[in-house]
Amino acid sequence: MANGRKNYLYRGISDELSALMRTGWADTERRDLTPTEQAPHAARRRAALSALFPGERLVVPSGGLKIRSNDAHYPYRPYTGYVHLTGDQARDGALVLEPRPDGGHDAHCYQLPRDSRDSDEFWTGYTAELWMGRRRTLAESELVLGMECRDIRTIAEDLAKATNTPTRVVRGIDPSLEAVLATDEERDDEFEEAVSGLRLIKDEWEIAELRRAVDATVRGFTDVVRELSQAIATSERWIEGTFFRRARVEGNTVGYGSICAAGEHATIMHWQDNDGPVRPGELLLLDAGVETHTLYTADVTRTLPISGTFNPLQREIYDAVYEAQEAGMAAVKPGAHYRDFHEAAQRSLAARLVEWGFLKGPAERVYELDLQRRFTMAGTGHMLGLDVHDCAQARNEDYIEGVLEAGMCLTVEPGLYFQPDDLTVPEEWRGIGVRIEDDVLVTADGNENLSAGLPRSADEVEAWMREFAG
């Protein structure tokens, strides 16, 4: 067994090879780097977090690689709170805010530095630089992030220097870091709520990133429509691959697993196998979003007639969801309760389900008892940003029970789902699922639909498909 692995072809490292590998390397230090666009915004976010916890040390890890299978890793994605507070995406790092006597904090970004050419480490392991790619030096990171950077390998020693300093850490991201800290779980949970809550209101830079994500997503949806004939000839996988290509070319990747649900798969809320047939005459529910290089994601859904035209029943269901979305979007404005858009959309769908005879009215009774949930399943939206379900750990008082403010970005996504085995509806309704989802920015005087570049009404969808699908 060599290099920590079984079935290793090489027997070891000769002294001559080790000496050879340590010599002849050029100086590649980057001295021309400047702070990223995000750096001043991240600094303001750190200041806001600092003000919430004077006198306390605050630790926000970035996280590390996760095993997919055997010695293969999943693509790395840093912890969202770390990205938001630093603008950095490096693995195995941590942001540490050390308290000052004046109540503020000094920020230090601990990172894994470049592998030294003075040892075999830089080329002998799967996570070494010659295997994984060049990392920044600490000096380079300081230029890019606009903050002091330190070697992550010294963090345990550094944190041990002030054992009497009350400390909070975001748990569940880096177990090895948690192991060297004596913290209280309840206080750590409060800290994570604060880190998450900081993202409720987006600054101008973040809104611009969300626009980029949505614009690329619009182009990805158009790509799918253009290639529907290929999907019909193959499967939902063609749709998934088509959108993924756009996400990788224009951004980092997809913001979440794309839902490419044709036919009765559209009734499965989180369908991601994407291996079913794409048949003319049925509907395609496509829920997908591009994630930018800075990790902000869109989240858009359209339900499309695969043949290019809705049949009368499909259109009736689609129009009901469209009307519910219109009601929900109209309720998105500063000063409104967060729940208002959800309630408006659900009341609209409840009334329609009573009208169709699927639920016993009056509609108000149906809504008060949530009986419409048999067919609407999910809530009508969520916050959006660095995470597709952003701010998920924020305090309920600030999120679900809160009030909308300018700068918040959320999805409005009502849907109707008639399960293939639901005997309470006529046979021709079974297996039909419709969702329409848009990304909506709360503005000073109302809202802006960031994804308005995609058609929404049934007539607009059919015209769009005639233009691009032929």
Side-chain angles (χ1 to χ4, degrees):
M1 183 168 160
N3 202 30
R5 297 172 60 194
K6 288 186 177 181
N7 306 311
Y8 192 67
L9 287 171
Y10 293 107
R11 290 182 291 273
I13 300 172
S14 67
D15 291 342
E16 291 79 3
L17 174 59
S18 179
L20 174 65
M21 291 300 295
R22 298 184 195 201
T23 60
W25 300 102
D27 178 10
T28 60
E29 182 79 17
R30 295 285 309 277
R31 299 174 178 84
D32 58 343
L33 299 174
T34 57
T36 64
E37 289 183 358
Q38 194 172 2
H41 300 285
R44 286 197 293 272
R45 298 165 197 156
R46 292 193 296 271
L49 187 64
S50 168
L52 297 175
F53 301 98
E56 300 187 61
R57 175 194 285 140
L58 309 174
V59 182
V60 183
S62 69
L65 297 171
K66 293 180 173 63
I67 294 291
R68 180 182 184 274
S69 177
N70 191 24
D71 53 4
H73 297 94
Y74 285 105
Y76 174 66
R77 173 54 156 83
Y79 169 57
T80 294
Y82 174 85
V83 176
H84 189 244
L85 292 163
T86 64
D88 184 48
Q89 297 181 30
R91 66 178 175 90
D92 298 316
L95 170 68
V96 177
L97 299 184
E98 286 287 355
R100 297 194 306 261
D102 65 4
H105 289 79
D106 292 322
H108 310 301
C109 193
Y110 284 82
Q111 296 198 332
L112 190 63
R114 295 197 66 193
D115 289 329
S116 170
R117 265 47 175 182
D118 294 331
S119 75
D120 294 327
E121 292 180 359
F122 80 100
W123 68 279
T124 55
Y126 260 18
T127 61
E129 282 201 31
L130 287 194
W131 291 83
M132 301 290 286
R134 185 187 187 276
R135 296 192 292 271
R136 289 195 302 255
T137 66
L138 296 179
E140 290 170 348
S141 287
E142 288 187 348
L143 292 174
V144 170
L145 303 180
M147 59 189 301
E148 181 182 343
C149 294
R150 297 179 175 180
D151 190 333
I152 189 67
R153 293 171 297 187
T154 71
I155 192 169
E157 179 183 349
D158 292 350
L159 294 177
K161 291 176 182 177
T163 56
N164 294 327
T165 303
T167 301
R168 299 182 192 243
V169 63
V170 178
R171 296 188 176 212
I173 309 300
D174 188 338
S176 64
L177 185 55
E178 291 175 40
V180 304
L181 296 171
T183 61
D184 177 78
E185 184 175 355
E186 184 175 346
R187 285 162 46 80
D188 288 345
D189 288 345
E190 292 174 350
F191 179 51
E192 186 179 11
E193 286 180 341
V195 170
S196 189
L198 283 178
R199 302 196 302 275
L200 283 168
I201 299 177
K202 272 61 180 177
D203 56 40
E204 292 182 0
W205 184 87
E206 291 181 285
I207 293 170
E209 287 301 296
L210 285 168
R211 291 186 189 280
R212 290 188 182 95
V214 170
D215 290 347
T217 298
V218 169
R219 290 186 283 274
F221 272 68
T222 304
D223 293 340
V224 167
V225 171
R226 283 194 176 103
E227 299 194 16
L228 263 183
S229 61
Q230 296 282 355
I232 292 170
T234 53
S235 73
E236 296 164 341
R237 291 283 169 92
W238 192 277
I239 296 166
E240 179 181 6
T242 298
F243 188 86
F244 181 74
R245 181 178 65 239
R246 176 67 66 175
R248 288 291 281 168
V249 168
E250 292 203 23
N252 179 50
T253 184
V254 290
Y256 53 95
S258 299
I259 298 170
C260 309
E264 66 181 38
H265 289 161
T267 66
I268 303 173
M269 295 298 299
H270 289 164
W271 172 255
Q272 292 186 350
D273 288 352
N274 298 336
D275 60 356
V278 179
R279 303 186 184 96
E282 297 182 336
L283 298 178
L284 166 67
L285 189 157
L286 176 59
D287 185 336
V290 172
E291 178 185 81
T292 66
H293 293 293
T294 58
L295 308 188
Y296 286 81
T297 186
D299 181 9
V300 178
T301 306
R302 288 294 183 270
T303 305
L304 312 174
I306 296 168
S307 61
T309 305
F310 294 100
N311 67 34
L313 177 57
Q314 291 169 347
R315 178 179 277 262
E316 183 175 4
I317 298 169
Y318 188 95
D319 286 346
V321 175
Y322 176 78
E323 290 167 8
Q325 193 197 30
E326 286 280 274
M329 292 175 70
V332 176
K333 54 190 173 184
H337 292 285
Y338 176 81
R339 289 182 177 274
D340 288 353
F341 77 93
H342 165 73
E343 293 179 354
Q346 292 294 306
R347 287 179 185 277
S348 177
L349 293 174
R352 188 56 71 97
L353 289 163
V354 169
E355 176 188 323
W356 287 330
F358 300 154
L359 294 172
K360 182 179 179 180
E364 184 63 24
R365 167 188 172 272
V366 168
Y367 175 75
E368 290 299 327
L369 296 175
D370 283 336
L371 302 183
Q372 81 282 354
R373 288 183 61 182
R374 180 182 177 99
F375 306 104
T376 65
M377 299 285 291
T380 313
H382 50 79
M383 291 293 183
L384 183 69
L386 275 167
D387 283 337
V388 64
H389 293 160
D390 206 21
C391 315
Q393 303 305 318
R395 297 193 321 152
N396 284 344
E397 300 93 315
D398 299 328
Y399 189 163
I400 295 296
E401 305 300 338
V403 173
L404 295 179
E405 299 181 48
M408 291 181 171
C409 188
L410 51 90
T411 68
V412 181
E413 50 173 315
L416 284 172
Y417 312 94
F418 300 100
Q419 302 302 323
D421 57 349
D422 189 345
L423 300 181
T424 69
V425 300
E427 184 176 359
E428 63 269 22
W429 293 67
R430 299 171 199 163
I432 296 178
V434 174
R435 179 164 66 251
I436 311 172
E437 177 181 20
D438 284 273
D439 301 342
V440 182
L441 173 68
V442 183
T443 61
D445 56 359
N447 72 69
E448 176 187 354
N449 181 1
L450 299 181
S451 45
L454 282 176
R456 287 194 302 125
S457 73
D459 288 341
E460 291 169 343
V461 167
E462 290 180 346
W464 176 57
M465 295 187 70
R466 282 195 298 271
E467 178 181 359
F468 291 104

